[in-house]
Amino acid sequence: MQAADHPSRRDILVAGLAGASAGLVPGEQSMAAAGLASRENAVPAIKVRYDELRPHEFRKRLAERPIAYLPLGTLEWHGEHLPLGSDAIQSEGLMVECARQLGGIVMPPIHLGPDRAKPADDGKMLVGMDYAGSTTPPRQLDGSCYWVPPGLHLLMVDAILAQLKRAGFRAVFADGHGPSRGSWVENLPERQARFGLKLFGVTKEIARQWKSQVDHAARNETSLMMHLRPDLVDLSQLPSSRSTWPQGVAGEDPRDASAAHGKECLQKSVELVRQMFAAAGLL
Ligand SMILES: [Zn+2]
Protein backbone atom coordinates (compact mmCIF):
# COMPACT_ATOMS: atom_id res chain seq x y z
CA MET A 1 0.00 0.00 0.00
CA GLN A 2 1.28 3.49 -0.85
CA ALA A 3 2.14 5.75 2.08
CA ALA A 4 -0.39 8.25 0.78
CA ASP A 5 -3.14 5.65 1.13
CA HIS A 6 -2.29 4.96 4.73
CA PRO A 7 -2.70 8.06 6.92
CA SER A 8 -0.50 8.08 10.01
CA ARG A 9 -2.05 8.32 13.46
CA ARG A 10 -0.73 11.89 13.55
CA ASP A 11 -2.74 12.70 10.40
CA ILE A 12 -5.80 11.15 11.99
CA LEU A 13 -5.20 13.16 15.15
CA VAL A 14 -4.93 16.37 13.14
CA ALA A 15 -8.12 15.53 11.25
CA GLY A 16 -9.86 14.60 14.51
CA LEU A 17 -8.85 17.84 16.16
CA ALA A 18 -10.02 19.81 13.16
CA GLY A 19 -13.35 18.00 13.37
CA ALA A 20 -13.58 18.51 17.12
CA SER A 21 -12.72 22.19 16.72
CA ALA A 22 -15.63 22.64 14.35
CA GLY A 23 -18.05 22.20 17.26
CA LEU A 24 -16.33 24.72 19.52
CA VAL A 25 -16.99 28.38 20.01
CA PRO A 26 -14.49 30.64 18.16
CA GLY A 27 -12.27 31.30 21.18
CA GLU A 28 -11.95 27.62 22.00
CA GLN A 29 -11.33 26.80 18.37
CA SER A 30 -8.36 29.14 18.13
CA MET A 31 -6.98 27.78 21.43
CA ALA A 32 -7.24 24.23 20.12
CA ALA A 33 -5.53 25.24 16.89
CA ALA A 34 -2.81 27.09 18.81
CA GLY A 35 -2.25 24.09 21.08
CA LEU A 36 -1.87 21.81 18.11
CA ALA A 37 0.47 24.22 16.32
CA SER A 38 2.73 24.61 19.34
CA ARG A 39 2.86 20.84 19.87
CA GLU A 40 3.69 20.26 16.19
CA ASN A 41 6.47 22.84 16.41
CA ALA A 42 7.89 21.52 19.68
CA VAL A 43 8.01 17.84 18.71
CA PRO A 44 9.64 16.91 15.43
CA ALA A 45 7.57 14.22 13.71
CA ILE A 46 10.12 11.43 14.19
CA LYS A 47 8.66 8.03 13.39
CA VAL A 48 9.06 5.80 16.43
CA ARG A 49 6.17 3.33 16.12
CA TYR A 50 7.32 -0.17 15.20
CA ASP A 51 4.47 -0.76 12.77
CA GLU A 52 5.23 2.42 10.79
CA LEU A 53 8.96 1.78 10.21
CA ARG A 54 10.41 0.45 6.99
CA PRO A 55 13.34 -1.98 7.41
CA HIS A 56 16.10 0.62 6.90
CA GLU A 57 14.43 2.93 9.42
CA PHE A 58 14.05 0.04 11.86
CA ARG A 59 17.73 -0.94 11.47
CA LYS A 60 18.86 2.63 12.11
CA ARG A 61 16.73 3.17 15.22
CA LEU A 62 17.59 -0.26 16.63
CA ALA A 63 21.33 0.33 16.15
CA GLU A 64 21.11 3.77 17.78
CA ARG A 65 19.15 2.59 20.84
CA PRO A 66 18.07 -1.08 21.08
CA ILE A 67 15.22 -0.29 23.47
CA ALA A 68 11.59 -1.40 22.92
CA TYR A 69 8.57 0.15 24.65
CA LEU A 70 5.50 -2.00 25.31
CA PRO A 71 2.24 -0.13 26.12
CA LEU A 72 -0.02 -2.20 28.39
CA GLY A 73 -3.57 -1.14 27.50
CA THR A 74 -7.16 -2.29 27.89
CA LEU A 75 -10.58 -1.65 26.43
CA GLU A 76 -12.09 -0.55 29.71
CA TRP A 77 -14.69 1.80 31.15
CA HIS A 78 -12.93 5.04 32.10
CA GLY A 79 -15.96 7.05 33.19
CA GLU A 80 -18.52 8.56 30.81
CA HIS A 81 -15.99 11.26 29.85
CA LEU A 82 -13.04 9.22 28.54
CA PRO A 83 -12.69 6.70 25.69
CA LEU A 84 -12.51 2.96 26.33
CA GLY A 85 -8.96 2.75 25.00
CA SER A 86 -7.62 5.36 27.44
CA ASP A 87 -5.00 3.04 28.99
CA ALA A 88 -3.29 2.27 25.68
CA ILE A 89 -3.57 5.87 24.48
CA GLN A 90 -1.81 7.14 27.61
CA SER A 91 0.90 4.49 27.83
CA GLU A 92 1.61 4.69 24.10
CA GLY A 93 1.57 8.49 24.27
CA LEU A 94 4.15 8.49 27.05
CA MET A 95 6.31 5.96 25.21
CA VAL A 96 6.21 7.85 21.91
CA GLU A 97 7.48 10.89 23.81
CA CYS A 98 10.20 8.75 25.50
CA ALA A 99 11.27 7.30 22.15
CA ARG A 100 11.45 10.72 20.53
CA GLN A 101 13.55 12.11 23.37
CA LEU A 102 15.61 9.06 24.35
CA GLY A 103 15.54 6.78 21.30
CA GLY A 104 14.02 3.34 20.88
CA ILE A 105 10.94 1.87 19.18
CA VAL A 106 7.32 1.71 20.42
CA MET A 107 5.44 -1.59 20.06
CA PRO A 108 1.71 -1.63 19.25
CA PRO A 109 -0.22 -1.65 22.54
CA ILE A 110 -1.67 -4.80 24.05
CA HIS A 111 -5.39 -4.29 24.74
CA LEU A 112 -5.88 -7.44 26.84
CA GLY A 113 -4.86 -7.60 30.48
CA PRO A 114 -5.41 -9.20 33.86
CA ASP A 115 -7.54 -7.74 36.66
CA ARG A 116 -9.33 -8.88 39.78
CA ALA A 117 -12.53 -10.81 38.98
CA LYS A 118 -15.38 -12.43 40.91
CA PRO A 119 -18.84 -13.79 40.14
CA ALA A 120 -21.82 -11.56 40.99
CA ASP A 121 -25.02 -12.83 42.63
CA ASP A 122 -26.59 -13.33 39.18
CA GLY A 123 -23.64 -15.49 38.08
CA LYS A 124 -22.15 -12.83 35.76
CA MET A 125 -18.45 -12.17 36.19
CA LEU A 126 -17.47 -8.80 37.64
CA VAL A 127 -14.07 -7.45 36.62
CA GLY A 128 -11.86 -4.67 38.03
CA MET A 129 -13.79 -1.40 38.40
CA ASP A 130 -17.12 -3.29 38.12
CA TYR A 131 -16.95 -3.73 41.89
CA ALA A 132 -14.95 -0.71 42.99
CA GLY A 133 -16.40 1.44 45.76
CA SER A 134 -17.31 4.10 43.20
CA THR A 135 -19.52 1.69 41.20
CA THR A 136 -22.90 1.69 42.91
CA PRO A 137 -24.35 -0.86 42.77
CA PRO A 138 -21.55 -3.17 41.51
CA ARG A 139 -22.30 -4.08 37.88
CA GLN A 140 -20.72 -4.82 34.54
CA LEU A 141 -19.55 -1.38 33.36
CA ASP A 142 -20.30 -0.62 29.70
CA GLY A 143 -17.56 -1.27 27.21
CA SER A 144 -15.07 -3.17 29.36
CA CYS A 145 -13.69 -5.91 27.12
CA TYR A 146 -10.11 -6.76 28.06
CA TRP A 147 -9.92 -9.35 30.83
CA VAL A 148 -7.71 -12.40 30.32
CA PRO A 149 -6.54 -14.85 33.00
CA PRO A 150 -3.23 -13.79 34.55
CA GLY A 151 -1.50 -16.90 33.17
CA LEU A 152 -2.51 -16.08 29.59
CA HIS A 153 -1.21 -12.52 29.98
CA LEU A 154 2.11 -13.90 31.24
CA LEU A 155 2.33 -16.15 28.18
CA MET A 156 1.46 -13.29 25.79
CA VAL A 157 4.14 -11.02 27.26
CA ASP A 158 6.65 -13.90 27.28
CA ALA A 159 6.00 -14.46 23.57
CA ILE A 160 6.46 -10.74 22.82
CA LEU A 161 9.73 -10.65 24.79
CA ALA A 162 11.05 -13.69 22.89
CA GLN A 163 10.28 -11.92 19.60
CA LEU A 164 11.84 -8.63 20.73
CA LYS A 165 14.99 -10.50 21.75
CA ARG A 166 15.07 -12.24 18.37
CA ALA A 167 14.60 -8.91 16.55
CA GLY A 168 17.71 -7.53 18.26
CA PHE A 169 16.45 -5.45 21.20
CA ARG A 170 18.49 -5.39 24.40
CA ALA A 171 16.08 -3.60 26.75
CA VAL A 172 12.30 -3.26 27.19
CA PHE A 173 10.23 -0.75 29.14
CA ALA A 174 6.56 -1.67 29.72
CA ASP A 175 3.81 0.16 31.59
CA GLY A 176 0.10 1.06 31.54
CA HIS A 177 -3.04 -0.53 33.03
CA GLY A 178 -2.50 -1.04 36.78
CA PRO A 179 -2.82 -4.85 37.07
CA SER A 180 -0.72 -5.34 33.90
CA ARG A 181 1.91 -3.03 35.41
CA GLY A 182 1.79 -5.10 38.61
CA SER A 183 2.29 -8.37 36.71
CA TRP A 184 5.15 -6.87 34.68
CA VAL A 185 7.01 -5.53 37.71
CA GLU A 186 6.50 -8.69 39.76
CA ASN A 187 8.11 -10.81 37.05
CA LEU A 188 10.97 -8.46 36.09
CA PRO A 189 13.89 -10.31 37.73
CA GLU A 190 12.86 -13.77 36.55
CA ARG A 191 12.25 -12.61 32.97
CA GLN A 192 15.48 -10.63 32.84
CA ALA A 193 17.37 -13.80 33.63
CA ARG A 194 15.32 -15.97 31.28
CA PHE A 195 15.38 -13.69 28.22
CA GLY A 196 18.75 -11.98 28.70
CA LEU A 197 17.06 -8.58 28.30
CA LYS A 198 17.31 -5.51 30.54
CA LEU A 199 13.73 -4.84 31.67
CA PHE A 200 12.28 -1.62 33.09
CA GLY A 201 8.98 -0.76 34.72
CA VAL A 202 7.34 1.30 37.44
CA THR A 203 8.91 -0.55 40.35
CA LYS A 204 8.41 0.18 44.06
CA GLU A 205 11.51 2.40 44.01
CA ILE A 206 9.99 4.94 41.63
CA ALA A 207 6.24 4.34 42.13
CA ARG A 208 5.83 7.33 44.46
CA GLN A 209 7.39 9.74 41.98
CA TRP A 210 5.66 8.24 38.92
CA LYS A 211 2.95 10.51 37.48
CA SER A 212 1.43 8.55 34.60
CA GLN A 213 -1.73 6.41 34.99
CA VAL A 214 -1.77 6.59 38.78
CA ASP A 215 -5.57 6.67 39.24
CA HIS A 216 -8.61 5.40 37.36
CA ALA A 217 -10.26 7.92 35.04
CA ALA A 218 -9.77 10.56 37.75
CA ARG A 219 -7.71 13.78 37.68
CA ASN A 220 -4.45 12.13 36.57
CA GLU A 221 -5.72 9.97 33.72
CA THR A 222 -8.19 12.63 32.59
CA SER A 223 -5.43 15.28 32.50
CA LEU A 224 -3.12 12.98 30.52
CA MET A 225 -5.90 12.32 28.02
CA MET A 226 -6.65 16.07 27.75
CA HIS A 227 -2.98 16.61 26.90
CA LEU A 228 -2.59 13.65 24.51
CA ARG A 229 -6.01 13.41 22.83
CA PRO A 230 -8.22 16.40 23.73
CA ASP A 231 -10.53 15.43 20.87
CA LEU A 232 -11.53 12.25 22.75
CA VAL A 233 -12.34 13.84 26.14
CA ASP A 234 -15.78 15.26 27.03
CA LEU A 235 -15.93 16.62 30.59
CA SER A 236 -19.57 17.64 30.05
CA GLN A 237 -20.44 13.92 30.42
CA LEU A 238 -19.49 14.10 34.12
CA PRO A 239 -22.15 14.99 36.73
CA SER A 240 -22.19 18.79 37.02
CA SER A 241 -22.93 18.67 40.76
CA ARG A 242 -19.81 18.14 42.85
CA SER A 243 -21.89 16.23 45.36
CA THR A 244 -22.35 13.43 42.79
CA TRP A 245 -19.23 11.28 42.37
CA PRO A 246 -18.79 9.87 38.86
CA GLN A 247 -19.37 6.12 38.51
CA GLY A 248 -16.36 3.82 38.16
CA VAL A 249 -13.85 6.62 38.79
CA ALA A 250 -11.16 6.36 41.48
CA GLY A 251 -8.80 9.12 42.58
CA GLU A 252 -8.95 12.92 42.70
CA ASP A 253 -11.92 14.63 41.06
CA PRO A 254 -11.65 14.45 37.22
CA ARG A 255 -13.53 17.78 37.05
CA ASP A 256 -10.25 19.38 38.24
CA ALA A 257 -8.27 17.92 35.33
CA SER A 258 -6.40 20.07 32.81
CA ALA A 259 -4.23 19.52 29.75
CA ALA A 260 -1.46 21.54 31.40
CA HIS A 261 -1.43 19.19 34.40
CA GLY A 262 -1.38 16.21 32.03
CA LYS A 263 1.61 17.61 30.16
CA GLU A 264 3.45 18.19 33.44
CA CYS A 265 2.73 14.61 34.62
CA LEU A 266 3.88 13.15 31.31
CA GLN A 267 7.12 15.13 31.34
CA LYS A 268 7.91 14.03 34.91
CA SER A 269 7.44 10.40 33.87
CA VAL A 270 9.65 10.82 30.79
CA GLU A 271 12.34 12.24 33.07
CA LEU A 272 12.12 9.20 35.38
CA VAL A 273 12.48 6.87 32.39
CA ARG A 274 15.51 8.89 31.28
CA GLN A 275 17.06 8.45 34.75
CA MET A 276 16.39 4.68 34.74
CA PHE A 277 18.00 4.25 31.32
CA ALA A 278 20.96 6.48 32.26
CA ALA A 279 21.57 4.54 35.49
CA ALA A 280 21.64 1.31 33.46
CA GLY A 281 24.20 2.78 31.04
CA LEU A 282 21.80 2.76 28.08
CA LEU A 283 22.03 6.48 27.21
ZN1 LIG B 1 -6.64 3.59 33.05
Side-chain angles (χ1 to χ4, degrees):
M1 183 180 277
Q2 297 287 317
D5 295 330
H6 194 133
S8 71
R9 272 170 263 201
R10 177 166 291 273
D11 295 334
I12 294 167
L13 170 60
V14 170
L17 278 174
S21 300
L24 299 176
V25 299
E28 288 171 321
Q29 188 167 357
S30 59
M31 277 169 61
L36 178 63
S38 64
R39 197 138 37 105
E40 291 291 310
N41 290 337
V43 181
I46 307 167
K47 283 202 295 179
V48 297
R49 290 183 169 94
Y50 203 124
D51 55 350
E52 294 183 355
L53 299 175
R54 285 187 289 272
H56 74 279
E57 297 165 324
F58 174 82
R59 285 191 294 270
K60 184 168 183 293
R61 290 198 70 80
L62 184 73
E64 285 169 355
R65 200 79 79 203
I67 299 174
Y69 301 86
L70 180 59
L72 304 174
T74 53
L75 294 172
E76 183 186 11
W77 165 279
H78 273 75
E80 291 284 358
H81 63 301
L82 293 180
L84 299 162
S86 287
D87 280 337
I89 291 169
Q90 292 169 83
S91 49
E92 188 184 33
L94 166 70
M95 291 173 188
V96 164
E97 193 58 36
C98 287
R100 288 194 173 133
Q101 292 190 26
L102 313 174
I105 296 172
V106 183
M107 287 285 285
I110 305 176
H111 284 92
L112 300 173
D115 214 326
R116 60 186 182 161
K118 71 171 188 185
D121 293 341
D122 61 3
K124 276 190 178 173
M125 195 60 81
L126 297 177
V127 170
M129 292 303 291
D130 290 351
Y131 58 105
S134 57
T135 306
T136 48
R139 66 184 187 284
Q140 182 179 334
L141 291 166
D142 300 332
S144 290
C145 181
Y146 65 96
W147 187 87
V148 290
L152 176 56
H153 188 252
L154 288 171
L155 288 175
M156 284 165 41
V157 174
D158 276 357
I160 291 168
L161 289 176
Q163 291 300 303
L164 290 173
K165 173 81 177 179
R166 179 179 181 272
F169 290 94
R170 300 207 348 243
V172 182
F173 171 73
D175 190 53
H177 172 58
S180 301
R181 170 190 291 160
S183 168
W184 172 255
V185 167
E186 188 182 332
N187 291 284
L188 275 188
E190 186 273 327
R191 278 180 168 144
Q192 274 196 159
R194 183 153 47 103
F195 291 100
L197 288 162
K198 187 83 190 138
L199 304 179
F200 299 90
V202 181
T203 56
K204 273 206 306 282
E205 291 72 39
I206 64 159
R208 284 181 59 183
Q209 304 167 64
W210 189 253
K211 299 290 181 215
S212 188
Q213 295 180 265
V214 295
D215 61 21
H216 187 83
R219 180 170 175 246
N220 177 257
E221 284 203 311
T222 303
S223 296
L224 286 163
M225 286 299 297
M226 289 169 79
H227 169 56
L228 290 165
R229 290 298 302 269
D231 55 313
L232 300 181
V233 182
D234 183 0
L235 294 182
S236 75
Q237 297 294 322
L238 291 166
S240 52
S241 165
R242 290 279 179 152
S243 57
T244 306
W245 186 256
Q247 291 285 292
V249 169
E252 293 178 39
D253 200 317
R255 289 162 288 202
D256 295 326
S258 72
H261 181 62
K263 183 177 182 182
E264 194 183 319
C265 290
L266 188 116
Q267 284 173 345
K268 280 184 183 162
S269 296
V270 172
E271 186 50 36
L272 285 172
V273 174
R274 183 198 304 277
Q275 289 169 18
M276 279 193 277
F277 289 172
L282 288 170
L283 301 183

